[in-house]
Amino acid sequence: TAYEMLRSLVGSEMCIRDRLTIAPETGSATLRQRINKTMTDESIYNTVENALSSGFKNLRIYLMLGIPSETDRDVEETVEMLKKIGEAAKITGAKVTASVNQFVPKPGTTLESASLAREEVILHRLRLLKEPFYKNLPVEFKVESTKEALVQAFLASAHRGWSHYLLENYNKSASKFASYIKKLIKTDQSAESLLFNKDARINKFPWKIISGR
C-alpha cells in the first residue's frame, strides 16, 4: 500500500531528513488541469495523511504563481489547501515548507507561447498566499526571486537577434542580469513583447524553423 511504501522510506538512505516532496503546483483543480497535473484534491490530501502517519516530519509543497488564466481566487484555493496541510502537520509536529516559483513559459511545452506574468502581479499574489500563515500554522515559505524568473523567461524565448545581449551579460549574477533586462524592456518594445505579449510571441520562436516543431 501507499502507507507501507512511505513507512519503509522513513529513516532510510533514500529519504533526506525524513522529508517528502509533493508538487501540486496550485490548489486550483482547474489550473492543475491546464498544466496537465493529474493530481486531485483527494489524492493530495491522502498523500499528506499517509506521509504524516508514516512518520515524515518535513513536507515540501511545490507551488507556482502566474500560471496563465490564474486569478486571485485560484490563489485563495491554494491558501485553503495549504491550511489543511498545515493543520494536519501541526497535529503530528511536522513542518511544512511551501516552495513557490513563478510560472515561466518553456520551449516544447503546451504553454510555450504564454506570456510571463508581470512582477507586480506576482508580488500581489504572493502576499495573498503568505499573509494567512503569519501566525499559528507550521508553514514556511521559500520563494524564488522574480528576477530569476525574468532571466529564465528571457533565456527561454530569446532568438539570435538577442545574442549580443547574452554575450555582454552571461557572466553577471541573475540579479544584475534581471536589472539589465528590465532596462531593456523599458527602452525596446520588441523585448517587452518577447516576454509579456502573447500575440507577439506566437510563431516568433527561433526553434519554429526546426521540422516538426
Side-chain angles (χ1 to χ4, degrees):
T1 66
Y3 170 80
E4 292 169 338
M5 181 184 69
L6 289 171
R7 189 74 187 89
S8 68
L9 289 173
V10 176
S12 71
E13 292 181 357
M14 293 186 293
C15 186
I16 302 174
R17 297 189 296 277
D18 291 338
R19 184 177 73 196
L20 182 70
T21 297
I22 308 172
E25 310 299 358
T26 171
S28 166
T30 301
L31 287 185
R32 284 200 298 271
Q33 290 176 356
R34 183 166 176 75
I35 59 175
N36 296 321
K37 276 279 180 175
T38 58
M39 287 180 173
T40 63
D41 290 345
E42 182 180 11
S43 67
I44 293 168
Y45 297 132
N46 284 343
T47 300
V48 169
E49 181 180 347
N50 284 329
L52 294 174
S53 59
S54 300
F56 281 89
K57 293 300 182 184
N58 293 279
L59 298 180
R60 174 157 291 191
I61 312 297
Y62 280 130
L63 301 173
M64 194 180 295
L65 291 176
I67 297 171
S69 78
E70 179 185 76
T71 66
D72 286 359
R73 176 55 193 154
D74 294 315
V75 179
E76 290 168 2
E77 290 185 33
T78 302
V79 169
E80 292 166 9
M81 178 187 72
L82 278 181
K83 281 183 176 179
K84 290 181 180 179
I85 295 173
E87 287 165 355
K90 189 175 182 179
I91 295 173
T92 64
K95 174 185 174 182
V96 179
T97 302
S99 181
V100 186
N101 296 281
Q102 181 176 352
F103 168 82
V104 175
K106 296 292 179 65
T109 66
T110 56
L111 294 174
E112 67 178 8
S113 62
S115 56
L116 187 72
R118 295 187 182 274
E119 183 178 36
E120 58 268 26
V121 173
I122 295 299
L123 295 179
H124 164 68
R125 292 190 176 145
L126 185 59
R127 286 193 294 272
L128 291 180
L129 181 64
K130 293 175 67 176
E131 283 178 355
F133 299 96
Y134 287 156
K135 297 179 181 179
N136 301 323
L137 292 178
V139 178
E140 296 184 359
F141 289 84
K142 290 187 178 298
V143 181
E144 178 193 47
S145 166
T146 53
K147 291 181 178 181
E148 293 180 3
L150 183 65
V151 171
Q152 283 187 53
F154 187 84
L155 293 177
S157 303
H159 49 73
R160 70 179 65 182
W162 302 99
S163 59
H164 59 289
Y165 293 117
L166 300 179
L167 288 172
E168 291 172 3
N169 294 278
Y170 77 94
N171 61 346
K172 291 183 178 179
S173 67
S175 179
K176 289 183 178 179
F177 194 4
S179 296
Y180 179 83
I181 295 172
K182 285 183 177 180
K183 292 179 182 178
L184 187 63
I185 290 169
K186 291 180 179 179
T187 59
D188 190 323
Q189 182 62 40
S190 60
E192 204 271 350
S193 296
L194 178 73
L195 297 172
F196 302 115
N197 188 330
K198 179 180 178 179
D199 293 336
R201 287 170 57 80
I202 295 176
N203 296 322
K204 298 295 184 181
F205 303 116
W207 54 87
K208 290 296 183 182
I209 64 172
I210 302 174
S211 177
R213 291 291 297 114

